[in-house]
Amino acid sequence: MSKLSNMELPSIFSSFAEARKNGFLAVKKLKEQGLGVVGTFCTYTPVEVFWAAGLVQVGLCSTSDETIPEAEKSLPRNLCPLIKASYGFAITDKCPYMYFSDLVVGETTCDGKKKMYELLGEIKDVHVMELPQSQSSPEAKAWWRGEVVKLKNKVATKFNKTITDADLTRAIKKRNQERLALKELYELSTLSPPPMTGLTQLQLLYGSQFKFNHQAKMADILGAIEKIKKVYAEGQRPVSEKAKRVVVTGCPMGGATEKLTRAIEESNGVVVAYENCTGAKQFDRLVPEEGDPWTNLADYYLAVGCAVMTPNPNRLELLGRLCRQFAADGVIEMTLTACQPYAIESRAIGQFLSQEKRPFMSLETDYSLGDFELLKTRVAAFIENLS
Amino acid sequence: MTLVLGLDVGSTYCKGAVVGPEGLVAVLKEPTGWDLTGVGNLVIDRLKSLTNLMVLPVAATGFGRGAVAQALIRPTEITCHARGADYLLPGIRTIIDLGGQDTKVMIVESGKVKSFQMNDKCAAGTGRFLELALNRLAIDLNSLPDNWLPSTVSLTSPCAVFAETEILGLLSKGAPRLEILKAVVESLANRAASLAGRLEPTAPAVLTGGLAETPGLTVALTRAFGVPVNNLKNGSYAGAIGAALLLGRFNQKTTSHEKTPAERGPENIIWRR
């Protein structure tokens, strides 16, 4: 563990590592300036709507098991840790982001989340968007566009704002710029050997969501890219050439689940790409900037390839593409305990990767740290047999 | 002569094997106890004197491999068992390793792991479970007759602790100890087979681990897996032998063509609680 934690985040990236912590103060400051704060959970949330209204948007997905015991007083034990932790942080007031949120926006993604939002609604103003369960039909698209417009109306009423098409288009352009920059950042790991560890990549991507000023955030991301390129050009190699290149797929990561990346990178592997909501799934595509912004926005978000969709072809498409682009030696999937959609879809992923001739392993874990050695044994055996 | 020493520091026994280009030279084991480093050194020293060698390069595997300071490599027991079992019985396809605290089922091809399953956070189906039951019954595993028939009683609890309670219940009802022993072994075998539910075990299949040479166990495993499971001579040393082979690289196969990733490595490894 020591080897990696020493090089966890070079000092140039400390602004990303610190972003979540500093973000608390930043949000407090913004709140004191009279800005409204919207808390969100999921990659399906069209954050451009909040940006268009001049609101602060912040991710509420929790990644630590600290408040799970409290949550289990109301929620079943056999529930996904992400849902339990998110609810736990809300009821214990331990998440300042939740605390500062004037509005919380969720979607009917999985059953666990949508029922948890009912409970959350008792203590916060929660707006739940009704997400269709499939992506391709015109009815589903029309429905979701309606939900996006409903969200706009909710935001307009709640915060007493008007949101014009021009406001939304500007917000789309801003968010697209960030997507492009973050994509450029993680695509640096197509290099062999990659210029950053998977842990660095994860912490950069995860940390970037807690930067609230667009200009500053863009400067930080582009600065990080330049710095990584520069030290690589100077010959610095943070990752061994022999490290096996792993693409990670499955449930969202960050915080406690960094343990999977650590297990991989302490076992002669390196995570080159994350095909999940912490990584490529958020940044891979752009919202079209021409045409009706509301339709564009709705279509973009509906196409996110999450296991809650049936069927879910977009996850396979992205995963296959990332494997080729990043020359993956293998794919490791992380599913969170009791996440039924991902656990069941695991079989389809295995079959798909078998056709693609990419070795695949699926691991189930939660937010506890007790299974680190168990994870590591399995990951090490998988990586040993890649060569 | 270049000999190498493989050490498999398991939860119950520390196994050592000395392997050379000509084959297996020496094996021995010691109870692991509490002192992992100490027992590792003891096995190494005893093997050195057995082989009359002052210096032996060491490879360590098993859960205690981190405690073996002089180990040059520390591969996982999964990789080592596959290599070792394939060395002892070339062409092996399925390996069932009943360890003290782990039960593993591995699908292998040419000594390489294609997929595997492993228990975790639960002792049922491990050697530890069997040990508890044998102690309670005060009976020896070898009391199982050859080709024994299925038990007339059964254990239903999936938990090692509750199974012991169940054994007491069966004893109080007057069930014969031998029948209860059969039920224990069947429960163990079924547990291993359900672990392998997502794999497709094919013959030839062998049992490795401390009980690799116990015929009574393979009878139950054969029934549970639906493929003949064979005892393996020196199978308890499979991990140690595999570790030695990985270090010594004696029988490295050379390939004339670049293999695809699927041919090179494991596929479809699913691990669920």
Side-chain angles (χ1 to χ4, degrees):
Chain A
M1 205 128 182
S2 54
K3 188 178 63 186
L4 261 162
S5 30
N6 287 342
M7 46 188 268
E8 232 168 55
L9 272 190
S11 55
I12 46 158
F13 304 132
S14 61
S15 83
F16 288 85
E18 297 288 303
R20 189 163 194 274
K21 202 167 65 191
N22 296 342
F24 294 150
L25 299 173
V27 167
K28 183 166 178 281
K29 221 177 204 173
L30 293 167
K31 183 103 178 176
E32 283 162 0
Q33 291 167 17
L35 285 174
V37 177
V38 182
T40 62
F41 286 97
C42 179
T43 308
Y44 281 110
T45 318
V47 296
E48 287 86 340
V49 175
F50 316 124
W51 292 21
L55 302 169
V56 179
Q57 172 266 328
V58 64
L60 298 175
C61 264
S62 298
T63 56
S64 131
D65 63 355
E66 192 185 331
T67 62
I68 286 180
E70 197 58 37
E72 283 177 351
K73 289 180 182 169
S74 317
L75 294 170
R77 288 195 63 197
N78 186 24
L79 181 66
C80 139
L82 191 155
I83 299 174
K84 284 193 288 194
S86 300
Y87 181 71
F89 273 98
I91 54 170
T92 54
D93 266 346
K94 278 189 177 166
C95 172
Y97 291 130
M98 180 70 87
Y99 178 81
F100 288 126
S101 293
D102 302 295
L103 176 68
V104 172
V105 176
E107 296 77 22
T108 55
T109 45
C110 60
D111 290 352
K113 269 193 177 166
K114 74 188 180 206
K115 298 307 283 183
M116 182 272 278
Y117 292 144
E118 289 178 11
L119 303 188
L120 195 59
E122 293 169 9
I123 50 171
K124 297 294 287 190
D125 184 0
V126 178
H127 175 84
V128 178
M129 300 177 77
E130 204 174 326
L131 185 71
Q133 303 194 351
S134 65
Q135 298 158 312
S136 53
S137 74
E139 291 84 357
K141 288 181 180 176
W143 177 270
W144 183 239
R145 189 187 184 281
E147 287 294 305
V148 174
V149 172
K150 264 200 241 170
L151 176 69
K152 173 185 88 164
N153 294 337
K154 168 79 189 183
V155 167
T157 316
K158 168 98 186 172
F159 297 96
N160 198 18
K161 304 260 185 187
T162 39
I163 305 167
T164 65
D165 287 7
D167 291 333
L168 185 64
T169 302
R170 264 195 304 278
I172 287 174
K173 285 183 176 161
K174 267 175 23 181
R175 182 64 183 150
N176 274 350
Q177 279 179 5
E178 291 188 8
R179 288 192 181 99
L180 272 175
L182 288 163
K183 186 173 180 173
E184 187 184 342
L185 176 70
Y186 72 72
E187 281 185 340
L188 293 174
S189 283
T190 54
L191 287 166
S192 181
M196 61 185 142
T197 66
L199 194 61
T200 299
Q201 188 191 134
L202 181 64
Q203 292 177 341
L204 290 175
L205 296 177
Y206 182 74
S208 72
Q209 64 172 317
F210 301 103
K211 291 175 178 280
F212 305 108
N213 179 299
H214 171 70
Q215 251 71 40
K217 182 174 176 178
M218 285 298 294
D220 281 351
I221 299 167
L222 296 176
I225 293 170
E226 285 319 305
K227 187 80 188 178
I228 291 169
K229 281 185 175 168
K230 185 166 168 278
V231 295
Y232 196 79
E234 285 164 6
Q236 280 192 37
R237 296 290 180 268
V239 179
S240 156
E241 212 162 274
K242 288 181 187 154
K244 296 290 167 195
R245 304 169 64 88
V246 176
V247 167
V248 166
T249 182
C251 294
M253 280 174 71
T257 46
E258 277 180 6
K259 64 186 172 181
L260 177 65
T261 300
R262 289 180 195 276
I264 292 168
E265 303 199 329
E266 287 174 29
S267 307
N268 303 317
V270 57
V271 180
V272 285
Y274 295 90
E275 186 285 319
N276 59 24
C277 279
T278 323
K281 205 174 279 190
Q282 276 199 74
F283 313 118
D284 176 61
R285 297 173 301 122
L286 298 180
V287 181
E289 294 175 5
E290 305 296 322
D292 171 34
W294 298 99
T295 305
N296 288 342
L297 194 66
D299 286 353
Y300 168 87
Y301 279 101
L302 187 61
V304 169
C306 175
V308 295
M309 289 294 168
T310 178
N312 182 22
N314 295 350
R315 182 178 174 204
L316 297 183
E317 190 279 322
L318 177 58
L319 183 57
R321 192 151 47 80
L322 291 176
C323 283
R324 290 187 293 275
Q325 186 188 2
F326 288 81
D329 293 306
V331 176
I332 295 181
E333 177 182 61
M334 184 203 79
T335 68
L336 291 171
T337 306
C339 175
Q340 291 190 356
Y342 274 95
I344 297 170
E345 195 166 279
S346 184
R347 184 170 173 272
I349 299 296
Q351 285 173 340
F352 169 73
L353 290 169
S354 179
Q355 286 164 15
E356 297 276 308
K357 305 215 181 301
R358 305 278 173 187
F360 169 64
M361 175 167 69
S362 179
L363 299 171
E364 185 190 295
T365 189
D366 57 18
Y367 286 177
S368 68
L369 292 173
D371 66 349
F372 180 73
E373 289 301 322
L374 293 171
L375 286 172
K376 205 175 153 187
T377 300
R378 285 151 180 84
V379 164
F382 178 76
I383 290 173
E384 277 168 7
N385 285 280
L386 286 175
S387 52
Chain B
M1 189 168 62
T2 38
L3 298 181
V4 288
L5 192 160
L7 205 60
D8 178 3
V9 189
S11 61
T12 314
Y13 279 98
C14 176
K15 286 82 64 176
V18 177
V19 186
E22 308 302 323
L24 193 56
V25 176
V27 294
L28 65 84
K29 61 181 161 192
E30 291 287 343
T32 301
W34 60 271
D35 181 4
L36 302 182
T37 306
V39 75
N41 287 334
L42 175 67
V43 171
I44 292 169
D45 290 344
R46 287 194 53 199
L47 281 169
K48 277 181 182 168
S49 52
L50 262 176
T51 52
N52 271 328
L53 286 169
M54 301 292 283
V55 185
L56 270 175
V58 175
T61 185
F63 96 104
R65 62 185 181 277
V68 185
Q70 63 267 60
L72 300 172
I73 56 168
R74 293 185 183 84
T76 63
E77 51 270 40
I78 297 156
T79 304
C80 291
H81 267 268
R83 279 298 292 272
D86 187 69
Y87 184 78
L88 293 169
L89 190 66
I92 197 71
R93 296 302 304 275
T94 304
I95 299 167
I96 302 158
D97 173 40
L98 285 185
Q101 63 180 12
D102 286 327
T103 293
K104 297 182 271 291
V105 181
M106 290 157 267
I107 305 296
V108 297
E109 228 177 88
S110 310
K112 302 216 75 177
V113 180
K114 301 301 285 184
S115 54
F116 66 92
Q117 289 277 7
M118 201 172 169
N119 73 308
D120 69 297
K121 292 192 176 176
C122 175
T126 68
R128 181 75 189 139
F129 163 72
L130 191 60
E131 200 180 325
L132 281 172
L134 292 176
N135 283 344
R136 176 56 73 180
L137 292 168
I139 197 169
D140 193 270
L141 250 191
N142 293 320
S143 45
L144 283 171
D146 290 352
N147 295 320
W148 50 273
L149 295 171
S151 175
T152 53
V153 297
S154 64
L155 293 182
T156 52
S157 174
C159 166
V161 175
F162 290 141
E164 211 181 343
T165 316
E166 225 179 328
I167 290 170
L168 285 176
L170 287 170
L171 284 170
S172 73
K173 282 184 204 153
R177 282 193 302 160
L178 187 62
E179 289 306 305
I180 301 175
L181 173 61
K182 287 179 187 173
V184 167
V185 173
E186 280 167 355
S187 153
L188 190 79
N190 290 336
R191 190 83 185 173
S194 74
L195 198 63
R198 282 179 185 242
L199 311 173
E200 282 170 22
T202 50
V206 291
L207 175 63
T208 64
L211 303 164
E213 297 182 50
T214 311
L217 272 182
T218 43
V219 172
L221 288 168
T222 297
R223 279 202 286 263
F225 275 76
V227 294
V229 178
N230 300 302
N231 292 105
L232 183 64
K233 189 164 161 33
N234 285 323
S236 59
Y237 297 99
I241 293 167
L245 291 172
L246 286 169
L247 182 59
R249 297 168 176 265
F250 300 121
N251 58 349
Q252 263 216 324
K253 295 180 181 74
T254 48
T255 47
S256 54
H257 66 288
E258 183 60 23
K259 290 187 166 185
T260 64
E263 286 174 304
R264 285 197 273 118
E267 52 181 332
N268 281 323
I269 297 173
I270 315 281
W271 171 47
R272 299 257 171 262
R273 296 228 170 107

